[in-house]
Amino acid sequence: MTSHSAFPPPPGARAYPLRTARGEFAVVDSSPATGEESRGVVLMLPGFTGSKEDFRLLHEPLAHRGYRVVAVDGRGQYESDGPRDDETAYAQRELARDVLAQAEALGGPVHLVGHSLGGQIARAAVLLDHSPFVSFTLVSSGPAEISVSQQQRVKLLRDALAVLSMAEVWEAIQAMGPPEEVGGPARGLGDQDQLRRRWLGHSPAQLLATGRQLCTEPDRVAELAALPLPFHVLSGAHDDTWPVAILDDMALRLGAHRTVITGAEHSPNADRPLPTAHALADFWDGTGPGRPLRPDPDDRP
Protein backbone atom coordinates (compact mmCIF):
# COMPACT_ATOMS: atom_id res chain seq x y z
CA MET A 1 0.00 0.00 0.00
CA THR A 2 1.46 3.34 -1.09
CA SER A 3 2.74 5.49 1.78
CA HIS A 4 3.06 8.78 -0.15
CA SER A 5 -0.13 9.50 -2.07
CA ALA A 6 -0.15 11.76 -5.11
CA PHE A 7 -3.35 13.30 -3.72
CA PRO A 8 -3.48 14.92 -0.26
CA PRO A 9 -6.76 14.20 1.55
CA PRO A 10 -9.41 16.93 1.48
CA PRO A 11 -9.86 19.26 4.49
CA GLY A 12 -11.04 17.42 7.58
CA ALA A 13 -10.28 13.96 6.14
CA ARG A 14 -7.52 11.44 6.75
CA ALA A 15 -6.05 8.70 4.57
CA TYR A 16 -5.17 5.33 6.07
CA PRO A 17 -5.38 1.55 5.44
CA LEU A 18 -8.72 0.13 6.59
CA ARG A 19 -8.13 -3.29 8.12
CA THR A 20 -10.77 -5.89 7.22
CA ALA A 21 -11.20 -9.65 7.33
CA ARG A 22 -10.14 -9.70 3.67
CA GLY A 23 -7.04 -7.52 3.97
CA GLU A 24 -6.28 -3.81 4.03
CA PHE A 25 -7.85 -1.24 1.72
CA ALA A 26 -6.72 2.35 1.23
CA VAL A 27 -9.43 4.80 2.29
CA VAL A 28 -10.05 8.50 2.73
CA ASP A 29 -12.26 8.99 5.78
CA SER A 30 -13.96 12.22 6.87
CA SER A 31 -16.07 12.71 10.01
CA PRO A 32 -19.12 14.94 10.44
CA ALA A 33 -18.21 18.60 10.81
CA THR A 34 -17.74 19.98 14.31
CA GLY A 35 -21.09 20.73 15.87
CA GLU A 36 -23.03 18.58 13.41
CA GLU A 37 -25.08 15.66 14.69
CA SER A 38 -23.88 12.37 13.23
CA ARG A 39 -26.44 11.16 10.71
CA GLY A 40 -24.74 8.04 9.35
CA VAL A 41 -21.77 6.42 7.65
CA VAL A 42 -21.28 6.29 3.88
CA LEU A 43 -19.10 3.85 1.91
CA MET A 44 -18.19 5.04 -1.61
CA LEU A 45 -16.78 2.82 -4.38
CA PRO A 46 -15.05 4.36 -7.43
CA GLY A 47 -15.33 3.38 -11.07
CA PHE A 48 -13.09 1.75 -13.68
CA THR A 49 -9.55 3.24 -13.55
CA GLY A 50 -10.83 5.51 -10.78
CA SER A 51 -9.93 5.78 -7.11
CA LYS A 52 -11.17 7.08 -3.78
CA GLU A 53 -9.99 10.56 -4.84
CA ASP A 54 -12.87 10.78 -7.31
CA PHE A 55 -15.09 11.64 -4.32
CA ARG A 56 -12.75 14.19 -2.72
CA LEU A 57 -15.03 17.15 -3.48
CA LEU A 58 -17.96 15.45 -1.71
CA HIS A 59 -16.31 14.99 1.70
CA GLU A 60 -16.59 18.55 2.98
CA PRO A 61 -20.22 19.28 1.99
CA LEU A 62 -21.36 15.88 3.27
CA ALA A 63 -19.49 16.44 6.56
CA HIS A 64 -21.52 19.62 6.98
CA ARG A 65 -24.67 17.54 6.56
CA GLY A 66 -23.56 15.23 9.39
CA TYR A 67 -22.25 12.28 7.40
CA ARG A 68 -19.05 10.33 7.85
CA VAL A 69 -17.76 9.51 4.35
CA VAL A 70 -15.35 6.67 3.67
CA ALA A 71 -14.13 6.44 0.06
CA VAL A 72 -12.18 3.29 -0.76
CA ASP A 73 -9.75 1.97 -3.35
CA GLY A 74 -10.91 -1.52 -4.23
CA ARG A 75 -8.58 -4.48 -4.51
CA GLY A 76 -5.88 -3.63 -7.08
CA GLN A 77 -7.05 -0.02 -7.47
CA TYR A 78 -4.45 2.72 -6.99
CA GLU A 79 -3.28 2.40 -3.34
CA SER A 80 -4.93 -0.90 -2.40
CA ASP A 81 -2.80 -3.98 -2.97
CA GLY A 82 -3.76 -6.75 -5.37
CA PRO A 83 -2.05 -9.26 -7.67
CA ARG A 84 -0.80 -7.72 -10.91
CA ASP A 85 -1.09 -10.85 -13.07
CA ASP A 86 -3.88 -12.99 -11.58
CA GLU A 87 -7.28 -11.95 -12.90
CA THR A 88 -9.14 -14.52 -10.77
CA ALA A 89 -8.58 -12.29 -7.73
CA TYR A 90 -10.83 -9.71 -9.40
CA ALA A 91 -13.85 -11.87 -10.13
CA GLN A 92 -16.90 -9.78 -9.37
CA ARG A 93 -17.96 -12.07 -6.51
CA GLU A 94 -14.53 -11.63 -4.88
CA LEU A 95 -14.76 -7.85 -5.17
CA ALA A 96 -18.28 -7.97 -3.75
CA ARG A 97 -17.04 -9.90 -0.73
CA ASP A 98 -14.42 -7.20 -0.23
CA VAL A 99 -17.22 -4.62 -0.02
CA LEU A 100 -19.03 -6.65 2.62
CA ALA A 101 -15.80 -6.87 4.61
CA GLN A 102 -15.30 -3.10 4.33
CA ALA A 103 -18.82 -2.45 5.60
CA GLU A 104 -18.22 -4.83 8.51
CA ALA A 105 -14.95 -3.10 9.39
CA LEU A 106 -16.76 0.26 9.51
CA GLY A 107 -19.16 -1.13 12.08
CA GLY A 108 -22.18 -0.90 9.75
CA PRO A 109 -24.85 -0.27 8.82
CA VAL A 110 -23.74 2.03 6.01
CA HIS A 111 -25.18 3.94 3.09
CA LEU A 112 -23.57 2.34 0.02
CA VAL A 113 -22.62 4.42 -3.04
CA GLY A 114 -21.07 3.02 -6.22
CA HIS A 115 -19.93 5.06 -9.21
CA SER A 116 -20.10 3.31 -12.60
CA LEU A 117 -18.11 0.05 -12.28
CA GLY A 118 -18.25 0.62 -8.52
CA GLY A 119 -22.04 0.54 -8.79
CA GLN A 120 -21.95 -2.89 -10.40
CA ILE A 121 -19.58 -4.23 -7.76
CA ALA A 122 -21.76 -2.67 -5.05
CA ARG A 123 -24.83 -4.28 -6.60
CA ALA A 124 -23.15 -7.68 -6.46
CA ALA A 125 -22.36 -7.10 -2.77
CA VAL A 126 -25.94 -6.09 -1.97
CA LEU A 127 -27.24 -9.18 -3.77
CA LEU A 128 -24.93 -11.37 -1.68
CA ASP A 129 -26.05 -9.76 1.60
CA HIS A 130 -28.07 -6.56 1.90
CA SER A 131 -28.14 -6.55 5.71
CA PRO A 132 -25.08 -4.28 6.24
CA PHE A 133 -26.63 -1.47 4.19
CA VAL A 134 -29.13 1.29 5.01
CA SER A 135 -29.51 2.38 1.39
CA PHE A 136 -27.92 1.92 -2.03
CA THR A 137 -27.12 4.71 -4.50
CA LEU A 138 -26.00 4.00 -8.06
CA VAL A 139 -24.10 6.95 -9.53
CA SER A 140 -23.91 6.87 -13.33
CA SER A 141 -24.10 3.08 -13.20
CA GLY A 142 -26.51 1.22 -15.43
CA PRO A 143 -28.47 -2.02 -15.46
CA ALA A 144 -26.16 -4.12 -17.62
CA GLU A 145 -23.17 -3.78 -19.98
CA ILE A 146 -21.83 -0.40 -21.07
CA SER A 147 -22.72 1.18 -24.43
CA VAL A 148 -21.25 -0.25 -27.62
CA SER A 149 -19.07 2.82 -28.20
CA GLN A 150 -17.56 2.52 -24.71
CA GLN A 151 -17.13 -1.25 -25.13
CA GLN A 152 -15.02 -0.52 -28.20
CA ARG A 153 -12.85 1.89 -26.23
CA VAL A 154 -12.45 -0.52 -23.33
CA LYS A 155 -11.45 -3.24 -25.81
CA LEU A 156 -8.74 -0.95 -27.21
CA LEU A 157 -7.49 -0.41 -23.67
CA ARG A 158 -7.53 -4.13 -22.86
CA ASP A 159 -5.68 -4.93 -26.11
CA ALA A 160 -3.04 -2.36 -25.21
CA LEU A 161 -2.66 -3.76 -21.68
CA ALA A 162 -1.98 -7.19 -23.15
CA VAL A 163 1.17 -6.06 -24.97
CA LEU A 164 2.40 -2.83 -23.37
CA SER A 165 3.61 -1.74 -19.94
CA MET A 166 1.38 0.43 -17.78
CA ALA A 167 3.59 3.44 -18.54
CA GLU A 168 3.36 2.78 -22.30
CA VAL A 169 -0.42 2.37 -22.08
CA TRP A 170 -0.69 5.72 -20.28
CA GLU A 171 1.07 7.40 -23.21
CA ALA A 172 -1.26 5.61 -25.63
CA ILE A 173 -4.29 6.76 -23.64
CA GLN A 174 -3.20 10.37 -24.03
CA ALA A 175 -2.85 9.87 -27.77
CA MET A 176 -5.94 7.80 -28.63
CA GLY A 177 -8.59 9.47 -26.50
CA PRO A 178 -9.53 7.38 -23.50
CA PRO A 179 -12.67 5.48 -22.59
CA GLU A 180 -15.02 7.81 -20.74
CA GLU A 181 -13.76 6.66 -17.35
CA VAL A 182 -10.00 6.58 -17.99
CA GLY A 183 -8.74 9.72 -16.32
CA GLY A 184 -12.24 11.14 -16.52
CA PRO A 185 -13.53 10.83 -12.96
CA ALA A 186 -10.59 12.85 -11.63
CA ARG A 187 -11.12 15.67 -14.12
CA GLY A 188 -10.38 18.83 -12.20
CA LEU A 189 -9.16 16.83 -9.20
CA GLY A 190 -5.50 16.51 -10.15
CA ASP A 191 -2.85 17.40 -12.71
CA GLN A 192 -1.41 15.05 -15.32
CA ASP A 193 1.42 13.91 -13.07
CA GLN A 194 -1.03 13.00 -10.30
CA LEU A 195 -3.28 11.15 -12.73
CA ARG A 196 -0.32 9.30 -14.23
CA ARG A 197 0.87 8.24 -10.77
CA ARG A 198 -2.62 6.99 -10.00
CA TRP A 199 -2.77 5.05 -13.25
CA LEU A 200 0.57 3.36 -12.55
CA GLY A 201 -0.74 2.27 -9.14
CA HIS A 202 -3.48 0.14 -10.70
CA SER A 203 -3.02 -3.58 -11.19
CA PRO A 204 -3.11 -4.54 -14.89
CA ALA A 205 -4.99 -7.73 -13.96
CA GLN A 206 -7.63 -5.67 -12.17
CA LEU A 207 -8.12 -3.47 -15.23
CA LEU A 208 -8.34 -6.46 -17.57
CA ALA A 209 -10.83 -8.31 -15.38
CA THR A 210 -13.08 -5.36 -14.58
CA GLY A 211 -12.95 -4.06 -18.15
CA ARG A 212 -14.32 -7.43 -19.26
CA GLN A 213 -17.03 -7.22 -16.59
CA LEU A 214 -18.15 -3.81 -17.85
CA CYS A 215 -18.60 -5.25 -21.35
CA THR A 216 -20.48 -8.40 -20.29
CA GLU A 217 -22.48 -7.49 -17.16
CA PRO A 218 -26.00 -9.02 -17.22
CA ASP A 219 -29.15 -7.17 -16.24
CA ARG A 220 -29.86 -7.95 -12.55
CA VAL A 221 -32.30 -5.13 -11.84
CA ALA A 222 -35.20 -7.47 -11.06
CA GLU A 223 -33.10 -9.28 -8.42
CA LEU A 224 -32.10 -5.96 -6.89
CA ALA A 225 -35.65 -4.60 -6.89
CA ALA A 226 -36.79 -7.57 -4.80
CA LEU A 227 -34.63 -6.45 -1.85
CA PRO A 228 -36.07 -4.32 0.99
CA LEU A 229 -33.70 -1.38 0.51
CA PRO A 230 -34.25 2.25 -0.51
CA PHE A 231 -32.57 2.86 -3.88
CA HIS A 232 -31.32 6.04 -5.51
CA VAL A 233 -30.22 6.42 -9.12
CA LEU A 234 -28.15 9.59 -9.64
CA SER A 235 -26.50 10.72 -12.87
CA GLY A 236 -25.50 13.71 -14.91
CA ALA A 237 -27.74 15.07 -17.63
CA HIS A 238 -25.56 13.44 -20.31
CA ASP A 239 -23.78 10.09 -20.24
CA ASP A 240 -22.15 8.08 -23.04
CA THR A 241 -21.44 5.02 -20.88
CA TRP A 242 -25.12 4.39 -20.07
CA PRO A 243 -27.49 6.80 -21.82
CA VAL A 244 -29.66 8.75 -19.41
CA ALA A 245 -32.86 7.17 -20.80
CA ILE A 246 -31.53 3.75 -19.76
CA LEU A 247 -30.81 5.06 -16.27
CA ASP A 248 -34.32 6.57 -16.11
CA ASP A 249 -35.83 3.20 -17.00
CA MET A 250 -33.67 1.39 -14.44
CA ALA A 251 -34.83 3.78 -11.73
CA LEU A 252 -38.46 3.05 -12.58
CA ARG A 253 -37.85 -0.70 -12.48
CA LEU A 254 -36.17 -0.34 -9.07
CA GLY A 255 -38.83 1.97 -7.65
CA ALA A 256 -35.84 4.22 -6.94
CA HIS A 257 -35.49 7.88 -6.14
CA ARG A 258 -34.08 9.57 -9.26
CA THR A 259 -31.74 12.56 -9.45
CA VAL A 260 -30.37 14.15 -12.62
CA ILE A 261 -27.60 16.70 -12.01
CA THR A 262 -27.87 19.51 -14.56
CA GLY A 263 -24.57 20.41 -16.20
CA ALA A 264 -22.89 17.12 -15.24
CA GLU A 265 -21.86 14.14 -17.36
CA HIS A 266 -20.55 10.69 -16.34
CA SER A 267 -18.95 11.94 -13.11
CA PRO A 268 -21.36 14.31 -11.34
CA ASN A 269 -19.25 13.88 -8.20
CA ALA A 270 -16.45 15.73 -10.03
CA ASP A 271 -18.45 17.83 -12.50
CA ARG A 272 -20.89 19.36 -10.00
CA PRO A 273 -19.98 18.20 -6.51
CA LEU A 274 -22.15 20.56 -4.45
CA PRO A 275 -25.53 19.68 -6.00
CA THR A 276 -24.44 16.03 -6.06
CA ALA A 277 -23.61 16.11 -2.34
CA HIS A 278 -26.89 17.83 -1.49
CA ALA A 279 -28.89 15.30 -3.53
CA LEU A 280 -27.15 12.41 -1.78
CA ALA A 281 -27.69 13.86 1.70
CA ASP A 282 -31.32 14.73 0.98
CA PHE A 283 -31.93 11.10 -0.02
CA TRP A 284 -30.15 9.70 3.06
CA ASP A 285 -31.98 12.12 5.33
CA GLY A 286 -35.22 10.56 4.07
CA THR A 287 -34.20 6.97 4.81
CA GLY A 288 -34.09 7.21 8.62
CA PRO A 289 -36.39 5.50 11.15
CA GLY A 290 -40.05 5.85 10.29
CA ARG A 291 -39.32 6.79 6.69
CA PRO A 292 -40.66 4.70 3.78
CA LEU A 293 -38.16 2.11 2.56
CA ARG A 294 -39.05 2.64 -1.09
CA PRO A 295 -39.31 6.34 -2.04
CA ASP A 296 -41.77 7.36 -4.72
CA PRO A 297 -39.96 6.99 -8.07
CA ASP A 298 -41.83 10.05 -9.34
CA ASP A 299 -40.41 12.22 -6.55
CA ARG A 300 -37.79 14.07 -8.54
CA PRO A 301 -35.66 16.62 -6.66
Side-chain angles (χ1 to χ4, degrees):
M1 196 168 293
T2 304
S3 58
H4 301 288
S5 177
F7 301 87
R14 64 190 183 102
Y16 65 93
L18 177 69
R19 294 181 179 177
T20 80
R22 290 177 62 84
E24 294 186 345
F25 296 89
V27 300
V28 171
D29 185 341
S30 57
S31 299
T34 302
E36 293 292 336
E37 178 185 358
S38 178
R39 299 188 65 86
V41 180
V42 183
L43 177 61
M44 293 189 163
L45 313 182
F48 183 60
T49 78
S51 70
K52 59 194 179 303
E53 285 70 27
D54 296 337
F55 304 111
R56 63 178 288 113
L57 298 179
L58 299 182
H59 284 268
E60 199 167 8
L62 290 175
H64 285 289
R65 293 289 295 267
Y67 288 95
R68 176 188 176 192
V69 175
V70 182
V72 61
D73 287 340
R75 180 193 301 259
Q77 280 186 318
Y78 187 31
E79 294 182 311
S80 288
D81 290 337
R84 298 188 70 79
D85 300 313
D86 180 11
E87 290 187 44
T88 63
Y90 305 104
Q92 189 184 76
R93 189 177 182 87
E94 293 302 307
L95 300 178
R97 286 174 172 162
D98 289 345
V99 176
L100 294 175
Q102 292 155 10
E104 181 182 25
L106 293 175
V110 302
H111 295 284
L112 184 60
V113 177
H115 175 240
S116 200
L117 170 71
Q120 295 192 339
I121 294 168
R123 180 173 73 175
V126 168
L127 289 172
L128 278 178
D129 181 5
H130 70 271
S131 64
F133 306 110
V134 182
S135 71
F136 178 26
T137 298
L138 292 142
V139 177
S140 304
S141 185
E145 76 278 0
I146 57 178
S147 67
V148 171
S149 64
Q150 292 301 313
Q151 287 185 46
Q152 292 170 343
R153 288 175 174 266
V154 169
K155 183 180 185 302
L156 286 174
L157 175 62
R158 293 181 66 245
D159 288 347
L161 285 168
V163 296
L164 300 174
S165 70
M166 288 290 286
E168 290 169 332
V169 172
W170 176 255
E171 296 306 318
I173 285 171
Q174 306 312 301
M176 75 180 187
E180 189 164 6
E181 291 199 41
V182 177
R187 186 172 52 239
L189 303 183
D191 60 29
Q192 283 299 302
D193 180 64
Q194 289 172 307
L195 297 179
R196 182 179 184 276
R197 287 173 63 187
R198 178 174 76 162
W199 167 260
L200 294 176
H202 279 73
S203 158
Q206 190 268 353
L207 294 168
L208 288 166
T210 56
R212 185 181 297 107
Q213 290 168 27
L214 281 169
C215 296
T216 59
E217 178 74 3
D219 189 320
R220 304 185 70 187
V221 173
E223 293 175 70
L224 189 62
L227 300 180
L229 275 180
F231 301 116
H232 185 191
V233 175
L234 184 149
S235 73
H238 177 77
D239 197 313
D240 286 333
T241 303
W242 288 279
V244 171
I246 289 177
L247 299 174
D248 289 340
D249 178 70
M250 181 180 71
L252 289 172
R253 293 168 62 197
L254 283 173
H257 190 66
R258 178 75 172 107
T259 300
V260 177
I261 303 295
T262 304
E265 298 189 14
H266 186 61
S267 298
N269 41 297
D271 295 339
R272 298 205 64 205
L274 283 178
T276 297
H278 291 316
L280 289 169
D282 288 347
F283 170 67
W284 298 328
D285 286 351
T287 61
R291 302 289 185 175
L293 277 179
R294 303 298 289 270
D296 184 346
D298 292 325
D299 180 15
R300 316 262 173 160

